[in-house]
Structures are given as structure tokens and as C-alpha cells.
Amino acid sequence: MFIKDKDKTMKIARTIEELDAFREKLGEGTLAYVPTMGALHDGHLSLVRLARKKCDYVAVSIFVNPTQFAPDEDFNSYPRTEKEDAKKLEAEGVDILFLPTENVIYPEGKDLDIKAGNVAEGLETTFRPAFFDGVVNVVNRLFNAVKPDIAVFGEKDFQQLQVITQMVENESIPIKIIGAPTARDENGLALSSRNLYLSEDELVIARKLNIALREAAKTGDLEATGKALLDYGFDKIDYVETRWNRVLGAAWLGKTRLIDNIAIDEKVAAAAQ
Ligand code: AMP
């Protein structure tokens, strides 16, 4: 639909009431939504660009969700760069930026209403048992607040994309979930807000994760990939596994946990069967 008098300024909503008011003004136009935890990089912005192609309007939220962090994880130190983020989003032509506080999302406390489905089993859940329950609860609440037609999630967090897709099906939520390809730096490192934690030396090692997973996608030798990652300098490997015709990996560099995944070459997958 062509929106004739589209208001170009980005509206910032901090409450559900403000969000509802902005949402109402969009009228008949379709809305695409990109939920984020901020510290925005080109990966997030690539989702915003895809969202813009799909709908008349784009909404983005920034909310560092406490219920998806375990007590020993980085909730308090997670990078918060609201002003810079807002500038980037305005430059991308985002229509609504939703910046809720914890009270807005969890007005009656942080009890969880729903559970992640069976695609959450294994992989991330083995190492972060409460993570996907936190994710589905916050995304469900954000979806209820934003009421978009579509929502865009990154393939970078491939299991998360599957978990959200399953949640929408299970809960009969009328929102279309779209996956967006992983944005990488010139060395193939998947962009991530947590890359900000890495020292120069760690960055050099981090850039080997995608290389090792690409090798695994070619050879199918997951054990060798785990060993190679340790040789490259990773401190601990949580997993290197195949699922959904992908090799998925999670590994630690000091206190920073990195994840990535690579599609398995169809020819290799066929030969292995
Ligand atoms: P986060 O702020 O880390 O919660 O991520 C918000 C959204 O951006 C999620 O859907 C992520 O999968 C996505 N995302 C994060 N990094 C990338 C990347 N490098 N490429 C594509 N999408 C990404």
C-alpha cells in the first residue's frame, strides 16, 4: 500500500498507551516488527531493512529482557547504547521505536506465562536451561503490545528463530515470522552485540568460529571441529552439532560466549545419507 502522507519522524513509545496511540495512527498500513536488545549493529539494521521491504511501517523495540538471563550471566553488563541506537534507527526510517521499562513488560512481576516448545530442547537449552522460556515470554508480551503483521528474526540465532516460529503456531498468534540471513564482518565473524566484549586478541580468535563451522559443514566431522576450535584458542566449546541441515556451534572466549551456524552444503548432506 502507498501511504500518502507518511510522517517521517520516528515516534518513541515508552508505555503501552503511547505505543497504542502511535499504532492507531498507522491506520490500515501493514506493520513489520524487529525486537532487539539494543547495542545495534549492521546485523540488526539488516533486519530493519528487510522489514521495510515487507510492510508499510516498521517498529523496533529495545528491551534487555531480564527473564532470559541466568543469575550468573551478563544482564547487568549487557551494553546499553540507547541514544546511538535511536539515531541509527531514525536514519533507517523506522516509524516506531518502543523502549519499555521492566515494569511495562512485567507489570505484575516476572512470572512466566508460557513455555518454549520442543524445538528448544538441546543445543542452547543444554547450557542455558531457562533461556528460551524467557525469550518466548518476552516475545509473546512484545507481540501483544506491538501487534505487528510480521516480525523479523535473525538466522544468527537459528534455534531462537525455530522456537519463535513454533510459539506463534502453538499459541495461534496471527503474526508471520520471517528469518533474515546472518550479517558478518569482512572476516566472516557474525555481528553480535557481545562482540563489544572482545579484546583485539580475542577478536582474532572469534573470527575462526565461522571458518571452523564452514569446515564442519563441508566435512561433517564435528569432533575435529571442536578440537580445531580449542586449538584456535577458544577456552570452552559448549556444542558443535547439526540440526535443521545446519552446523550450529557455541564457544567461549574468556567470559564471552559466541554462537554461529552455517548451512550444510546440500551435496554433502546427500552424500552422508
Ligand atoms: P539481539 O539484540 O541480540 O536480541 O538480536 C535481535 C535480533 O537481531 C534477533 O532476531 C537476532 O537474531 C538478530 N541478529 C543479531 N545479530 C545478527 C546478525 N549478525 N545478523 C542477522 N541478525 C542478527
Side-chain angles (χ1 to χ4, degrees):
M1 186 168 71
F2 178 67
I3 309 288
K4 203 169 137 220
D5 297 317
K6 187 168 167 173
D7 182 347
K8 294 265 171 35
T9 56
M10 183 173 76
K11 305 287 183 294
I12 298 185
R14 293 182 188 272
T15 65
I16 303 285
E17 293 71 29
E18 286 169 354
L19 184 61
D20 281 346
F22 294 141
R23 181 78 186 81
E24 204 150 295
K25 283 205 188 120
L26 305 186
E28 299 262 292
T30 54
L31 180 67
Y33 171 45
V34 181
T36 82
M37 298 207 301
L40 300 180
H41 49 65
D42 275 346
H44 296 112
L45 301 184
S46 71
L47 268 52
V48 171
R49 287 172 205 142
L50 181 62
R52 278 186 54 126
K53 280 195 199 138
K54 301 277 177 190
C55 284
D56 301 312
Y57 295 101
V58 177
V60 175
S61 62
I62 299 176
F63 180 62
V64 185
N65 173 38
T67 66
Q68 71 191 65
F69 289 80
D72 60 343
E73 290 183 346
D74 56 344
F75 175 71
N76 286 324
S77 57
Y78 197 85
R80 287 159 170 90
T81 57
E82 195 178 292
K83 270 197 191 135
E84 293 87 335
D85 290 350
K87 270 191 209 144
K88 288 179 188 172
L89 295 173
E90 176 129 52
E92 291 294 333
V94 165
D95 299 284
I96 299 177
L97 171 58
F98 183 37
L99 295 173
T101 56
E102 221 171 283
N103 268 342
V104 168
I105 299 296
Y106 298 107
E108 283 152 24
K110 288 180 274 185
D111 288 345
L112 302 184
D113 316 315
I114 56 173
K115 284 194 83 63
N118 63 352
V119 295
E121 285 164 19
L123 298 169
E124 286 297 292
T125 300
T126 307
F127 300 91
R128 308 181 71 192
F131 173 63
F132 282 128
D133 286 335
V135 168
V136 291
N137 276 274
V138 76
V139 171
N140 188 35
R141 285 168 188 236
L142 288 165
F143 279 179
N144 280 329
V146 178
K147 301 181 202 62
D149 298 284
I150 74 164
V152 184
F153 288 82
E155 289 181 352
K156 147 99 182 350
D157 301 279
F158 205 83
Q159 190 179 15
Q160 172 171 277
L161 172 60
Q162 309 311 313
V163 168
I164 300 294
T165 303
Q166 190 177 46
M167 175 193 85
V168 163
E169 277 166 24
N170 287 352
E171 305 291 323
S172 305
I173 299 170
I175 297 173
K176 185 174 177 199
I177 305 300
I178 295 187
T182 303
R184 300 176 179 281
D185 76 1
E186 62 283 7
N187 298 92
L189 173 66
L191 302 181
S192 164
S193 307
R194 290 192 168 99
N195 293 351
L196 292 172
Y197 299 150
L198 300 173
S199 67
E200 279 300 311
D201 289 347
E202 286 175 331
L203 254 180
V204 173
I205 302 168
R207 292 188 168 123
K208 309 276 187 180
L209 178 59
N210 79 94
I211 293 170
L213 296 182
R214 277 178 219 285
E215 190 62 19
K218 261 194 236 149
T219 64
D221 192 343
L222 305 180
E223 216 179 298
T225 303
K227 284 196 193 116
L229 286 169
L230 291 172
D231 286 345
Y232 286 139
F234 280 91
D235 296 300
K236 190 158 72 87
I237 316 304
D238 277 353
Y239 60 82
V240 177
E241 283 184 39
T242 54
R243 217 196 270 187
W244 304 295
N245 220 18
R246 300 207 155 225
V247 179
L248 304 101
W252 289 86
L253 263 177
K255 288 184 180 155
T256 307
R257 185 174 185 273
L258 300 177
I259 64 170
D260 199 352
N261 67 89
I262 300 285
I264 294 174
D265 189 319
E266 280 170 28
K267 282 173 267 163
V268 175
Q273 274 169 9

